[in-house]
Each structure stands twice: as C-alpha cells, then as structure tokens.
Amino acid sequence: MEKVFNYKFSKIYTLLLNKVVRKNRSEAEMLSCITWLTGYQEEEIKKLTLSDISYKEFFVNAPKMNEKRFNVKGSICGVKIDSIEDPIYKDIRILDKLIDDLAKGKSLEKLLP
C-alpha cells in the first residue's frame, strides 16, 4: 500500500490513460471519472500531471471526494472494495475500478452513479 501511495501521480495518470486508450476510450472519459470522484477540475489535473505530487497527496488534497463513491462496488485485483479499511487506499481502488470498467466498455452514465 505504501508503495502505491508514493508513486508520482503523473506516472499513474499515464498508466491509466494508456489503459483506456488501448481499449478505444478517450482521455476525456477518463478525466470525467477522475473529476467525478475527486472534485478536481480538468485543468487542475493536467497541472498536477506536471508536478511531483504523490498519488496519496493527490487524493488527500482532493477538493471534494464524491459522497456517492461508496456506491462503486466490486473487486479490483481480487480484493473487494468494501473490505478495504484504509480510506485513501479505498479511494485509489475505487478509481481503479472506475477506470477498469470504463476500459471494459461501460458507459459513463452507468459508471458514475
């Protein structure tokens, strides 16, 4: 968990973007998921990709985490989201789930309750 916390947000952003683009989804759709979850505006996210902010700091400093994020259910990498106790790690895994489902072809309307 600590290892993921210390990754640079810019690196994670690139990995997420590559994943969605490979599956014929757009950066705009991915940004919709991130803004929905965190409350950051697209411009803020783009600036943060040019900074040294860690992935943990990205979530800790989020303007307004969406209260509906706990409606995102399921497993990511074999771990049920509901079973994750650390709140920051849970938010990270919620974003992973949103991006995975986006890459699998789910519409934004279904992803963002």
Side-chain angles (χ1 to χ4, degrees):
M1 185 169 26
E2 284 299 318
K3 187 174 181 181
V4 172
F5 286 167
N6 294 323
Y7 284 134
K8 289 187 186 215
F9 172 69
S10 58
K11 181 173 178 69
I12 300 292
Y13 185 89
T14 300
L15 294 171
L16 296 176
L17 180 58
N18 289 340
K19 182 177 198 165
V20 298
V21 169
R22 253 191 337 267
K23 298 293 185 168
N24 297 315
R25 300 306 291 259
S26 70
E27 183 175 14
E29 290 173 306
M30 183 184 83
L31 282 166
S32 292
C33 292
I34 298 171
T35 58
W36 176 87
L37 178 63
T38 63
Y40 284 110
Q41 298 300 310
E42 286 185 24
E43 306 80 42
E44 293 173 291
I45 295 168
K46 294 287 189 171
K47 284 180 187 174
L48 290 172
T49 64
L50 302 173
S51 75
D52 284 336
I53 191 171
S54 73
Y55 205 29
K56 181 178 182 177
E57 289 172 313
F58 174 78
F59 282 94
V60 168
N61 297 331
K64 184 170 181 3
M65 294 300 291
N66 193 317
E67 293 175 11
K68 294 181 181 180
R69 70 188 183 277
F70 300 115
N71 294 336
V72 176
K73 303 291 182 193
S75 297
I76 189 76
C77 299
V79 177
K80 289 203 173 288
I81 291 173
D82 287 342
S83 71
I84 300 170
E85 292 184 19
D86 183 281
I88 301 298
Y89 191 61
K90 184 178 246 181
D91 289 338
I92 287 172
R93 293 319 230 163
I94 288 170
L95 180 58
D96 288 343
K97 179 67 174 161
L98 290 173
I99 299 302
D100 272 4
D101 287 349
L102 178 67
K104 289 178 183 172
K106 283 195 178 177
S107 69
L108 287 177
E109 292 77 27
K110 288 184 179 178
L111 283 176
L112 310 178

